Amino acid sequence: MNVPKVLKERAAKLEAYYQSHYEALAPLAARCFLNTMETTVKELADGTHFVITGDIPAMWLRDSAAQVRPYVKYAKDDADLQKILESIIVKQAQLVCVDPYANAFNESANGAGAGYEDETRQNDHVWERKYEVDSLCAPLYLGYCYWKETGIDKIFTAEYHEMIRKIVHVFTTEQDHRNSPYTFRRYHCVKTDTLPCKGKGRPVNVTGMTWSGFRPSDDSCCFGYLVPSNMMAVKALGYAEEICRDCLGDEALAGQCRELAEEIRDGIETYAVVEHPGYGRIYAYETDGYGNHILMDDANSPSLLAMPYLGYCDKEDALYRNTRKFLLSADNPYYYEGKLAKGMGSPHTPAGYVWHIGIVMQALTSDSREEILECLDMLAKTHAGTNYMHESFNPSAPEEFTRSWFAWANTLFAELLDRLMAEGFFE
């Protein structure tokens, strides 16, 4: 992929800055910043752009939005970057309209897939049909961010308008999952790759929140209300409301977005807050609305840790601060410590492995200089000499890692470096 000039210039500036201010991170700065654009973005025959995750040749709605989002701030005065980002936004709207319950898509309707014979509604465009609430939030985040940074609203086409309608319809339907047409069953696989109860998932109460079959890790939810994804939905629907009102002239749909966001937020604050004996009132990771909760977090974003980054609350919010203390402690069952690093992992990867995305997100949501420096030190020591971030790694032996080519982790890390440079963190 030809990299737009503005990104090349920013990458060179990043490398020079860290060569002067944090030499151990300098070899990672430019290459991680450019990794998504250089290696995962492909222009298709119809002029749209397809974004793979790295070592998997499919386009995840969540990952692709996260991979290119840090580039948006540089698009205002660069026509080449505008063309790429606008065509990715168009592609995401196309894919949601193909199947709003799918999480990952093929480059074309070629029938390729993850290699399983899943029992669900099939479509040749779809790589995998694991329904994840955050997959529908991601295109709204990217489109809104692009509009606000550039002032360009031509991206909000009739197809984008239809995408919003489909998202609202699905989120509303899944407020009472008993009415949903969605089921998913996968055979001869690990338990977390399929849904119980004949593919319908475990029963949930009606709470105002919207149901999700799977987590951002693509692992199945234990309880159907995935709280971080519902938090992301609240914000995404707020973006959709503004787009519908100010750009699409659809006051009725704007009102639906607003009401739905209010219902989901009320459900979160009513059903997803738990009194913890050691940390006080904290958010649960999942709940079924019947009083059952899971207290944990997963390094994949959206996570509870990432909520200020994703705009649901401020870093100073009391509930968030209590929750964050819990998440970054041994009381979180997926928080691990080793000789060289500590941080959140995931049930999706080997027990004891820490995620680079988790460490980066910890730094991005911190106001503590000491904590940010500690995170940077861990990142500098755990890339195993590759000068790239990985999915997860052994915090005592970082040469043991998963996914050597995981563009989202590289982009998010580069976003952290870029933000610290812009803030003059080391000066």
Side-chain angles (χ1 to χ4, degrees), residues 205-220:
N205 193 13
V206 176
T207 65
M209 287 183 283
T210 191
W211 178 90
S212 189
F214 293 85
R215 299 170 177 175
S217 61
D218 302 329
D219 291 344
S220 58

Side-chain angles (χ1 to χ4, degrees), residues 124-387:
D124 284 345
H125 281 277
V126 173
W127 170 272
E128 189 173 57
R129 195 172 188 255
K130 289 180 172 178
Y131 174 59
E132 301 163 4
V133 165
D134 65 284
S135 292
L136 295 181
C137 299
L140 294 172
Y141 267 75
L142 182 60
Y144 181 86
C145 179
Y146 184 80
W147 170 43
K148 288 298 180 180
E149 285 285 351
T150 65
I152 297 170
D153 62 3
K154 65 180 179 180
I155 55 172
F156 302 130
T157 61
E159 195 162 36
Y160 199 97
H161 198 170
E162 180 62 18
M163 178 188 76
I164 295 176
R165 291 191 193 96
K166 286 184 178 292
I167 291 171
V168 170
H169 176 74
V170 170
F171 281 176
T172 302
T173 298
E174 297 301 340
Q175 286 182 295
D176 189 347
H177 184 55
R178 294 171 300 181
N179 300 326
S180 173
Y182 177 79
T183 61
F184 183 94
R185 299 178 84 177
R186 178 174 288 176
Y187 300 94
H188 312 298
C189 63
V190 295
K191 184 178 179 181
T192 53
D193 255 359
T194 190
L195 291 178
C197 301
K198 299 181 180 179
K200 195 71 172 177
R202 297 179 183 87
V204 292
N205 193 13
V206 176
T207 65
M209 287 183 283
T210 191
W211 178 90
S212 189
F214 293 85
R215 299 170 177 175
S217 61
D218 302 329
D219 291 344
S220 58
C221 295
C222 292
F223 300 130
Y225 296 124
L226 180 56
V227 178
S229 292
N230 272 269
M231 291 171 164
M232 191 178 184
V234 171
K235 198 67 179 178
L237 288 165
Y239 295 155
E241 177 194 353
E242 193 173 341
I243 292 167
C244 288
R245 186 183 61 243
D246 295 351
C247 301
L248 297 172
D250 191 338
E251 289 288 349
L253 187 57
Q256 288 180 264
C257 292
R258 180 176 61 255
E259 291 174 10
L260 183 54
E262 290 171 355
E263 290 171 3
I264 295 173
R265 181 185 287 275
D266 181 69
I268 293 169
E269 302 302 326
T270 302
Y271 289 90
V273 178
V274 178
E275 186 70 37
H276 190 283
Y279 299 91
R281 285 163 51 83
I282 66 172
Y283 288 112
Y285 185 70
E286 287 177 358
T287 181
D288 60 4
Y290 288 118
N292 299 303
H293 303 86
I294 295 179
L295 301 182
M296 58 164 278
D297 205 10
D298 189 310
N300 280 279
S301 181
S303 61
L304 292 173
L305 183 65
M307 281 309 104
Y309 172 80
L310 292 172
Y312 182 77
C313 64
D314 295 327
K315 296 176 186 177
E316 296 77 22
D317 180 85
L319 257 174
Y320 174 72
R321 293 185 71 84
N322 288 350
T323 306
R324 194 176 197 274
K325 288 177 184 176
F326 165 78
L327 303 178
L328 299 176
S329 78
D331 291 316
N332 174 3
Y334 297 101
Y335 181 84
Y336 304 116
E337 295 193 21
K339 295 178 181 177
L340 296 176
K342 58 184 179 181
M344 292 203 307
S346 168
H348 188 69
T349 47
Y353 275 38
V354 171
W355 281 53
H356 280 130
I357 281 179
I359 296 174
V360 173
M361 193 60 71
Q362 182 181 346
L364 285 169
T365 56
S366 176
D367 284 328
S368 164
R369 183 178 183 84
E370 181 181 358
E371 183 179 16
I372 293 169
L373 287 171
E374 182 183 26
C375 290
L376 293 175
D377 180 64
M378 290 189 289
L379 294 166
K381 290 178 178 177
T382 58
H383 59 86
T386 66
N387 294 328

Side-chain angles (χ1 to χ4, degrees), residues 45-123:
D46 65 357
T48 61
H49 285 74
F50 192 79
V51 185
I52 63 173
T53 69
D55 53 10
I56 304 175
M59 182 167 170
W60 264 257
L61 293 171
R62 169 189 55 255
D63 293 51
S64 59
Q67 284 166 238
V68 301
R69 182 180 166 189
Y71 297 147
V72 171
K73 68 174 72 173
Y74 302 110
K76 187 174 184 179
D77 299 314
D78 191 287
D80 291 335
L81 184 53
Q82 288 172 17
K83 178 184 176 183
I84 294 169
L85 293 175
E86 288 172 18
S87 69
I88 291 170
I89 292 167
V90 167
K91 175 59 68 178
Q92 288 188 330
Q94 290 177 354
L95 297 177
V96 172
C97 289
V98 165
D99 186 349
Y101 280 99
N103 59 322
F105 295 84
N106 298 315
E107 184 177 315
S108 63
N110 56 24
Y116 298 93
E117 294 183 3
D118 298 331
E119 187 179 285
T120 188
R121 194 186 79 182
Q122 300 294 338
N123 186 301

